[in-house]
Every structure is written in structure tokens, then in C-alpha cells.
Amino acid sequence: MEIQDIIKPENLVYSKSKLQVDVISHYCPGCSHGVVHKIVSEVIDELGIQEKTIGVSPVGCAVFAYNLIDIDWQEAAHGRAPAVATGIARTNPDKIVFTYQGDGDLASIGAAEILHACNRGENLVVIFINNGIYGMTGGQMAPTTLVGQVTSTTPMGRTVELNGYPLKITELIAQLPGVHYCTRQSVHTAATVRRCKNAIRKAFQNVMDKKGTSFVEVTSTCNSGWKMTPVQANDWMVEHMFTEYPQGELKDNDKKG
Amino acid sequence: MAKVRGAVVVDKEGCKGCGLCVVACPQNVLALNKDVNSRGYHYSYMANPEECIGCAHCGLVCPDTCITIYRVKL
Ligand SMILES: Cc1ncc(C[n+]2csc(CCOP(=O)(O)OP(=O)(O)O)c2C)c(N)n1
Ligand code: SF4
Ligand code: SF4
């Protein structure tokens, strides 16, 4: 059989979601952000909520998310996405509102905003990209940086004496009564991409059903900031990040008694 | 003989040559081209097209959604 006989519309099994704007993204080659954007686009499309969804983009490499996914967006000041999203969701109860935030944005400058929004149980999806550093500004240490991890501000590796411990903010958030669903996923293999998509779909469905906050961490790579190839970065993430940030569900109130 | 055949089409100009699809492919179909696209990236291509089973692993992991996948049952 010739390749031309296979490449026909009736044989199509996978293609770009129509919600993904047809531009080349600003992300570095191999960056996890791109995979998560793709999943979010597919989920919004499959749930048929393109016209009802409002994203709140962060400060960080995802600052231009509004150029890449064809829905309504609002850009927030650094770390303030959960506060902005609270306002949008409360004044537009018929809309599906989500924030998309990096670990510098969410766990550092925006730690107060995310904890209080989740504690209030705001009806939001939170997509949290934990790549362990500040990607956009040149790979500085973040609260989530691992002990011993080399960054541009910890050239000898993070130490507990100087920098304290990695902040497991997803574990903190899972404890809050306002949080309905909290999970930690990754997107480095086909199987984990599928699993992460199921988690993100569930989070959006929860908000459509007005169940309160649904929080999805995606343990991610920033190969540029980590000074690795994309393939090395995925391997490094599995070897080092997954011990500190164990994968899987932390909370699902649907499964309660 | 395989019961399915697949084929992928890589958007040559969109590809950033990250290589994640190459390692995701269980059939060793993909490789990075020694040629580069207009932005200087060694874009991915089907080096072993006969081996493709259309599993879509490459498409799922591609951060730039450059891979369109087709599959036929034989
Ligand atoms: C108020 C304020 N402080 C600091 C900055 C500088 N700044 C821009 S992005 C960023 C951190 C981004 O890191 P993260 O949220 O982890 O996202 P990533 O780029 O890794 O995806 C910082 C500190 C800013 N833009 N505004
Ligand atoms: S700097 Fe890091 S987080 Fe930002 S686009 Fe590049 S790889 Fe992604
Ligand atoms: S995963 Fe996508 S961007 Fe990366 S080499 Fe393959 S086709 Fe190109």
C-alpha cells in the first residue's frame, strides 16, 4: 500500500484542534506548555464550550496564551489570575472560567491569591504548570525548585539552609475544603498525555456542574531553563521531580462516601 | 503482516525539531531530518514509513501539534 492511499481524509485519526490558532507559538522547542495548550484546546472543543469559556493568562511564558487558543481571555498581573478569575466567574455565572499559571506565578508572588481563591471554593479550573523554575525570566529558582537543583540564582544548587524546602503547594491546596478535585499529572508520554487530558476534562466538567475549585498540576519541563535537550529534560523530570511531586489524584470529592 | 498501516504528515515549517516525537514512536518510524526548515530546525520526518501503525503517540506528545495522523485497517 502506498503512503498516498493512507493519507486520505477518511483515514484521519489525529489532527490539530480547531481551537488552536494556526500560528507558530513562542514556546521553546519541546516545552510542556505547548502540550498542555493542546490538551486544553481539545477539551474545550470536545465539551462544546468555546463560546462560554474565559481563560485568565498569567505572567510567565504562558503570558501570550491568548494568542494561541481561540477563546475569550483576560491577562492578569503576576500571580493575580485567581483574583481576576474570581471576579469574572462571580459576575458571569454562566461562563466556564479557568486560570493557567506557572509555578513562579502561582506558588511565589501569587501564593496568597491561589490559596484564598481555592479556600473560598471559587468555581474555577486551575491549570498549574510546575516546571520548577522561572522560565520566562531566565531560569531563576522558584519555590518549587528541588533541593540541590542548579538554577541561575542557585548556581551551586538549592540548599535548605539558604532557600528552604520545595513548596508542595498542590498538597496544601488539596486540604482546603473549597477544593473539589485536585490532581497531579504530566505530559511526557502518550499515556500520560491521555491521562492528563482526562483530568483536565473532568476539571472543566466539574466547573460546568458548579462543584467549586478543580486544580490540575502538570509537572512539567523547561528544557531551556534547565539547560538540557527536551528528551533529557523529560528523563530528568521523571527521575527527580516525580519523587518530590508524586503523580496522581490528591482529592476527588465525587468519590467520597 | 501488520493488521494496520499508518502514516503521518509533519508540518515541516511548524516543527521545532525537539525530537520528542522520535522517542515517543514505539516503531522507530520518525527521525530528525539533516536538512532544516526555514527557521533552522531539523524537522521530523518518516524515516521508516513502512513501520508506522498510526498509534498517534507522536502526535500526542508534540508540543507544537505539527503531526497529522492517518490509519487504515488492512
Ligand atoms: C510584579 C512582577 N514581578 C516580577 C516580574 C518578572 N517575572 C516575569 S515572569 C516571572 C516568573 C515566571 O515563572 P513561572 O510562573 O514559573 O512561569 P514559566 O515562565 O516558567 O512558565 C517573573 C518573576 C513581573 N513580570 N511582574
Ligand atoms: S523558557 Fe522554559 S517554560 Fe518558557 S517557553 Fe522555554 S522551555 Fe517553556
Ligand atoms: S514533537 Fe513536534 S515539534 Fe518536536 S520534532 Fe516532533 S514534530 Fe517536530
Side-chain angles (χ1 to χ4, degrees):
Chain A
M1 181 175 265
E2 297 298 315
I3 297 292
Q4 286 69 23
D5 300 323
I6 306 173
I7 300 174
K8 286 184 174 163
E10 62 268 29
N11 299 331
L12 183 70
V13 287
Y14 191 84
S15 64
K16 191 167 182 160
S17 157
K18 67 175 189 318
L19 262 67
Q20 286 196 271
V21 181
D22 201 14
V23 292
I24 294 173
S25 80
H26 61 288
Y27 292 121
C28 303
C31 175
S32 307
H33 275 301
V35 188
V36 182
H37 279 29
K38 170 170 69 178
I39 294 174
V40 169
S41 304
E42 290 174 1
V43 165
I44 293 172
D45 190 20
E46 289 164 19
L47 291 172
I49 52 172
Q50 180 182 17
E51 298 299 326
K52 288 171 68 174
T53 304
I54 302 175
V56 183
S57 57
V59 169
C61 282
V63 67
F64 297 128
Y66 50 74
N67 287 332
L68 303 174
I69 306 179
D70 185 14
I71 52 170
D72 288 329
W73 285 94
Q74 173 64 51
E75 166 59 30
H78 204 8
R80 279 31 169 182
V84 173
T86 296
I88 297 173
R90 287 190 177 202
T91 51
N92 298 273
D94 54 324
K95 301 289 187 196
I96 314 302
V97 184
F98 74 98
T99 72
Y100 184 107
Q101 305 176 256
D103 48 341
D105 191 84
L106 183 145
S108 186
I109 192 169
E113 281 75 10
I114 193 65
L115 285 169
H116 288 291
C118 291
N119 195 42
R120 294 191 303 267
E122 299 294 341
N123 195 39
L124 303 172
V125 177
V126 178
I127 311 278
F128 168 40
I129 307 297
N130 177 11
N131 60 18
I133 58 168
Y134 292 2
M136 186 192 210
T137 44
Q140 293 86 356
M141 182 185 70
T144 46
T145 299
L146 303 182
V147 173
Q149 188 174 348
V150 172
T151 71
S152 56
T153 45
T154 55
M156 313 299 276
R158 178 178 185 155
T159 65
V160 169
E161 295 70 29
L162 194 61
N163 315 113
Y165 294 93
L167 183 59
K168 295 184 168 215
I169 196 151
T170 304
E171 272 79 355
L172 293 180
I173 281 165
Q175 294 173 31
L176 303 174
V179 175
H180 184 83
Y181 176 56
C182 186
T183 184
R184 187 183 275 127
Q185 301 287 329
S186 68
V187 292
H188 62 298
T189 62
T192 53
V193 169
R194 287 203 180 96
R195 226 176 290 145
C196 184
K197 184 173 170 182
N198 287 339
I200 289 178
R201 187 189 292 109
K202 184 178 168 65
F204 274 91
Q205 187 65 56
N206 285 345
V207 167
M208 290 165 75
D209 298 341
K210 303 207 184 301
K211 289 180 174 171
T213 315
S214 284
F215 188 98
V216 182
E217 172 182 329
V218 186
T219 312
S220 295
T221 67
C222 169
N223 62 81
S224 291
W226 296 0
K227 312 267 181 273
M228 296 177 195
T229 68
V231 174
Q232 287 168 342
N234 274 344
D235 292 344
W236 194 91
M237 173 183 75
V238 172
E239 197 180 330
H240 297 97
M241 303 241 322
F242 283 9
T243 346
E244 193 70 31
Y245 303 115
Q247 300 291 294
E249 205 163 88
L250 287 92
K251 182 185 202 177
D252 184 358
N253 277 354
D254 286 340
K255 292 184 183 160
K256 260 191 189 163
Chain B
M1 204 172 105
K3 293 191 188 70
V4 289
R5 275 285 309 268
V8 308
V9 177
V10 177
D11 168 9
K12 174 180 159 186
E13 286 304 316
C15 175
K16 294 174 182 169
C18 71
L20 293 179
C21 56
V22 176
V23 296
C25 175
Q27 299 287 106
N28 286 318
V29 172
L30 300 169
L32 296 184
N33 207 304
K34 65 175 171 29
D35 288 338
V36 294
N37 62 18
S38 69
R39 297 183 310 134
Y41 292 121
H42 295 279
Y43 56 95
S44 169
Y45 78 111
M46 283 208 287
N48 291 311
E50 300 76 31
E51 296 299 316
C52 180
I53 53 171
C55 67
H57 284 200
C58 56
L60 286 165
V61 301
C62 174
D64 289 277
T65 327
C66 308
I67 310 185
T68 309
I69 299 148
Y70 301 86
R71 183 173 57 215
V72 286
K73 285 204 179 79
L74 295 181

